[in-house]
């Protein structure tokens, strides 16, 4: 099987993403990870752009051994000199030259005619070749370049010994069948094309970066330029993880291999997202948080019976961890009971029916149901938690000009223990007194109170979440007295902690 060269430009085009500036240390960290990922070429930066860029290309070239290290340069002497000075520390240095060839760029941006562009391109390649053996040339805005002129430029730069010719869809304008046709026509019309590798560099302005790159592979491209998480100028570049996984998953169609260590894909995506500060959208293919999560009951049931019913790739293969069945209102009984089993609760028959009903009621109110919610459902509703501590009596004083104080009496077995404490308010004083009696010190994570009935004499229901002994538990209590309801809720939670400890 032929190999496709993966040219990663996260550190150059990717860093051109608005807001994605990286310092030298961060670039080096990403470069190490790209090496672990197994990319063939790392475009480490644009050395002439700034002293910082120069320094980081030089550092990557000096420290990262294995992949080709590439520096970008306009077709100008100063750029080529800077690129060479930075990449020469690599054992496999490459200079990547670019020069616009489309009519609109030549006329308005460069103010140069075709012949001058052609001459400059050839000169730049020869000059770069006098410094390094590996030179890539990009006719910028190739997809909007007059085809006959493009063939002439490519033939001339290959004659000047460019080793790779890169066809950029600079503004993300091409559509797949058109871009594929462009690559096929280059193969057919540039006489010396076999002497160079055809590369593609597709921007994502129409969301077609990956599709265009794959179409190019089908038509003879041997190198793909891409970025982690699809970062890059404007809407970004073709995403490396999507290209690699498309080639791998559909090798039946493409018959091409890459050297990428797929298990490093997710980790690389996380690292790049963390260091650039650009989050990955949850539904992003391959590396998004939801890429391997199933919520619909029918899908979950299918996955549990045979994974391939709804999965074309294995999440573990991209380093993602296990496929996740997200429990929500669309989930079915099968996924629900499987998750309970994973948590150590084996419910069957009526018990399972009741728990499932409660789960569905909760899922209507809450978007995602977490494992703690499931534990609470099972413990609250199904198992009778023994009341190790029972509230026997409660007295408190509070007011605008006195320190709140609570005296709590709790029955523990046959004994009654009474303690008092002050606090910020009567509820706080009461909780502190309970802590002294039980010896379980919990941290209150959440406290809410609601009226169960209407009117001034409404029954108040207090719900809390408590963290104690490295566990999170919930507690509920009701009374017409809200301090008493609070004490009951707290004791309810404390009883769960004590029960688990036992
Ligand atoms: O998009 C583009 O044309 C580029 C070139 C420098 C290859 O990034
Ligand atoms: Zn680009």
């Amino acid at each position: 099987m032929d190999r496709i060269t993966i040219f990663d430009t996260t550190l150059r085009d990717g860093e051109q993403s608005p807001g994605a500036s990286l310092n030298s240390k961060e670039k080096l960290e990403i470069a190490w990870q790209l090496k672990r990922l197994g990319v063939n070429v790392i475009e480490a930066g644009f050395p002439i752009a700034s002293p910082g860029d120069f320094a980081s290309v030089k550092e990557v070239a000096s420290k990262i051994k294995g992949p080709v290290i590439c520096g970008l340069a306009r077709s100008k002497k100063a750029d080529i000199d800077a690129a060479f000075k930075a990449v020469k520390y690599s054992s496999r240095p490459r200079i990547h030259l670019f020069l616009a060839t489309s009519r609109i760029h030549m006329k308005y941006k460069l103010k140069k005619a075709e012949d001058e562009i052609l001459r400059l391109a050839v000169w730049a390649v020869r000059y770069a070749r006098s410094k390094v053996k590996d030179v890539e040339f990009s006719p910028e805005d190739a997809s909007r370049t007059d085809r006959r002129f493009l063939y002439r430029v490519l033939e001339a730069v290959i004659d000047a010994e460019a080793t790779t010719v890169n066809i950029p869809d600079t503004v993300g304008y091409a559509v797949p069948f058109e871009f594929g046709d462009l690559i096929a026509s280059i193969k057919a019309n540039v006489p010396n094309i076999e002497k160079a590798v055809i590369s593609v560099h597709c921007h994502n302005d129409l969301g077609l970066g990956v599709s265009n790159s794959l179409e190019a592979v089908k038509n003879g491209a041997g190198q793909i330029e891409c970025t982690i998480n699809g970062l890059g100028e404007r809407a970004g570049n073709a995403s490396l993880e999507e290209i690699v996984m498309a080639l791998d998953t559909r090798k039946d169609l493409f018959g091409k291999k890459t050297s990428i260590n797929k298990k490093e894909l997710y980790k690389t995506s996380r690292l790049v997202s963390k260091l650039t500060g650009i989050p990955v959208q949850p539904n992003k293919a391959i590396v998004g948080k939801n890429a391997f999560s199933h919520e619909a009951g029918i899908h979950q049931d299918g996955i549990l019976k045979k994974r391939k019913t709804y999965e074309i790739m294995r999440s573990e293969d991209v380093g993602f961890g296990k496929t996740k069945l997200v429990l929500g209102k669309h989930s079915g009984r099968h996924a629900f009971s499987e998750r309970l089993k994973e948590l150590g609760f084996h419910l069957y028959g009526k018990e399972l029916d009741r728990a499932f009903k409660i789960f569905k009621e909760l899922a209507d109110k809450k978007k995602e149901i977490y494992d703690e919610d499931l534990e609470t459902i099972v413990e609250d509703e199904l198992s009778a938690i023994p009341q190790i501590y029972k509230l026997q009596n409660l007295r408190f004083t509070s007011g605008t000009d006195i320190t709140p104080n609570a005296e709590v009496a709790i029955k523990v077995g046959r004994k009654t223990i009474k303690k008092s404490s002050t606090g910020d308010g009567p509820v706080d004083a009461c909780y502190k007194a309970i802590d002294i009696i039980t010896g379980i010190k919990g941290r209150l994570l959440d406290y809410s109170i609601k009226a169960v009935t209407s009117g001034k004499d409404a029954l108040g229901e207090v719900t809390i979440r408590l963290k104690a002994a490295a566990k999170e538990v919930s507690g509920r209590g009701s009374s017409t007295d809200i301090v008493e309801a609070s004490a009951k809720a707290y004791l309810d939670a404390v009883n769960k902690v004590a029960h688990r400890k036992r």
Side-chain angles (χ1 to χ4, degrees):
M1 234 192 262
D2 284 353
R3 264 191 199 279
I4 295 292
T5 301
I6 298 294
F7 176 117
D8 180 275
T9 182
T10 307
L11 297 178
R12 199 277 296 169
D13 212 321
E15 209 215 5
Q16 286 171 222
S17 294
S21 166
L22 294 161
N23 63 34
S24 280
K25 195 169 154 264
E26 292 165 336
K27 284 191 178 177
L28 189 63
E29 199 178 336
I30 292 176
W32 276 113
Q33 183 55 31
L34 291 173
K35 175 186 152 103
R36 275 191 285 272
L37 181 64
V39 306
N40 308 101
V41 185
I42 297 177
E43 186 163 54
F46 190 4
I48 193 89
S50 73
D53 235 28
F54 177 88
S56 49
V57 177
K58 182 174 159 187
E59 195 171 21
V60 171
S62 321
K63 301 209 166 120
I64 309 292
K65 301 295 165 204
V68 170
I69 307 297
C70 175
L72 184 69
R74 287 169 297 183
S75 296
K76 292 184 174 188
K77 184 172 183 303
D79 282 43
I80 299 170
D81 289 340
F84 174 63
K85 276 192 196 144
V87 295
K88 71 177 181 194
Y89 298 92
S90 166
S91 48
R92 301 177 68 198
R94 178 182 292 190
I95 295 178
H96 177 187
L97 300 165
F98 71 101
L99 183 62
T101 50
S102 65
R103 209 161 275 161
I104 185 167
H105 277 234
M106 290 191 295
K107 181 168 174 196
Y108 294 103
K109 189 179 84 177
L110 301 174
K111 299 187 184 1
K112 291 192 194 315
E114 282 189 352
D115 283 348
E116 201 178 344
I117 293 289
L118 190 69
R119 196 180 47 74
L120 250 178
V122 170
W123 170 83
V125 171
R126 285 208 184 112
Y127 184 58
R129 276 295 263 125
S130 72
K131 298 189 175 286
V132 291
K133 279 198 266 167
D134 188 355
V135 172
E136 173 169 330
F137 180 82
S138 288
E140 193 191 3
D141 205 15
S143 53
R144 293 194 299 170
T145 296
D146 170 75
R147 285 205 184 179
R148 262 165 314 156
F149 182 53
L150 184 62
Y151 305 148
R152 274 177 69 205
V153 172
L154 294 177
E155 186 180 353
V157 294
I158 295 172
D159 269 346
E161 296 189 322
T163 41
T164 300
V165 285
N166 180 42
I167 310 302
D169 181 23
T170 302
V171 289
Y173 180 69
V175 296
F177 66 87
E178 179 194 28
F179 197 65
D181 177 66
L182 174 63
I183 303 303
S185 71
I186 288 171
K187 281 204 89 161
N189 291 287
V190 177
N192 54 0
I193 195 71
E194 296 305 330
K195 292 191 184 149
V197 174
I198 302 179
S199 165
V200 289
H201 175 110
C202 297
H203 276 273
N204 210 25
D205 298 66
L206 294 174
L208 295 170
V210 170
S211 310
N212 285 339
S213 308
L214 294 175
E215 201 61 37
V217 167
K218 242 173 75 191
N219 286 282
Q223 173 179 288
I224 301 183
E225 302 198 356
C226 44
T227 56
I228 301 297
N229 298 339
L231 291 183
E233 189 78 33
R234 307 180 307 281
N237 289 70
S239 127
L240 181 147
E241 53 279 3
E242 291 176 24
I243 286 171
V244 167
M245 288 315 290
L247 290 176
D248 185 71
T249 308
R250 300 310 311 272
K251 42 183 162 317
D252 56 324
L253 289 183
F254 292 101
K256 304 282 180 196
K257 264 190 173 169
T258 70
S259 58
I260 297 297
N261 176 5
K262 292 175 284 159
K263 284 209 159 56
E264 292 289 324
L265 283 171
Y266 184 61
K267 201 164 143 199
T268 316
S269 159
R270 304 285 308 165
L271 178 72
V272 169
S273 170
K274 187 181 93 185
L275 296 182
T276 57
I278 299 183
V280 175
Q281 77 192 60
N283 57 326
K284 163 91 175 60
I286 320 296
V287 291
K289 169 175 153 281
N290 295 345
F292 296 96
S293 296
H294 304 265
E295 215 222 39
I298 297 169
H299 291 207
Q300 294 182 337
D301 184 51
I303 286 279
L304 289 166
K305 287 175 176 153
K306 177 95 182 150
R307 234 174 130 170
K308 281 192 174 166
T309 51
Y310 286 99
E311 273 190 1
I312 57 164
M313 298 168 273
R314 285 159 30 106
S315 50
E316 304 90 300
D317 290 348
V318 302
F320 201 98
K322 267 182 84 181
T323 291
K324 202 174 152 208
L325 302 187
V326 178
L327 291 182
K329 67 175 176 184
H330 302 114
S331 304
R333 238 175 109 88
H334 194 168
F336 175 70
S337 80
E338 285 301 310
R339 178 66 65 82
L340 287 188
K341 278 183 201 151
E342 278 167 26
L343 294 173
F345 301 112
H346 294 261
L347 303 190
Y348 302 97
K350 285 204 177 116
E351 253 186 355
L352 179 61
D353 291 345
R354 265 188 59 204
F356 186 58
K357 188 167 166 277
I358 298 161
F359 156 73
K360 279 286 187 176
E361 282 162 10
L362 184 65
D364 258 340
K365 297 182 205 134
K366 226 167 157 252
K367 269 206 176 91
E368 197 176 333
I369 308 288
Y370 299 104
D371 289 348
E372 294 81 37
D373 294 312
L374 295 178
E375 285 173 355
T376 306
I377 289 176
V378 176
E379 289 180 349
D380 281 9
E381 310 297 338
L382 298 175
S383 12
I385 298 286
Q387 297 292 292
I388 300 165
Y389 302 106
K390 268 192 209 138
L391 182 68
Q392 202 165 52
N393 202 359
L394 167 67
R395 278 184 178 177
F396 56 88
T397 47
S398 178
T400 49
D401 54 355
I402 55 166
T403 306
N405 184 75
E407 186 189 83
V408 182
I410 288 177
K411 202 151 188 249
V412 191
R414 292 208 191 126
K415 275 199 291 183
T416 297
I417 308 176
K418 203 187 269 183
K419 292 282 173 199
S420 54
S421 173
T422 54
D424 289 341
V427 172
D428 184 47
C430 180
Y431 284 5
K432 282 184 174 137
I434 295 175
D435 285 349
I436 299 170
I437 296 169
T438 61
I440 295 173
K441 182 137 182 45
R443 189 159 62 86
L444 200 58
L445 301 175
D446 201 17
Y447 173 98
S448 67
I449 181 161
K450 73 169 196 274
V452 179
T453 47
S454 57
K456 283 187 183 153
D457 57 352
L459 194 66
E461 188 183 72
V462 172
T463 308
I464 64 156
R465 273 199 88 70
L466 188 75
K467 185 158 187 172
K471 271 279 175 195
E472 275 184 34
V473 288
S474 64
R476 241 194 334 245
S478 50
S479 166
T480 46
D481 181 322
I482 57 168
V483 181
E484 189 185 331
S486 305
K488 283 181 171 171
Y490 195 72
L491 270 180
D492 186 36
V494 166
N495 272 319
K496 286 178 189 164
V497 177
H499 177 59
R500 284 191 187 182
K501 272 189 162 180
R502 284 190 177 178

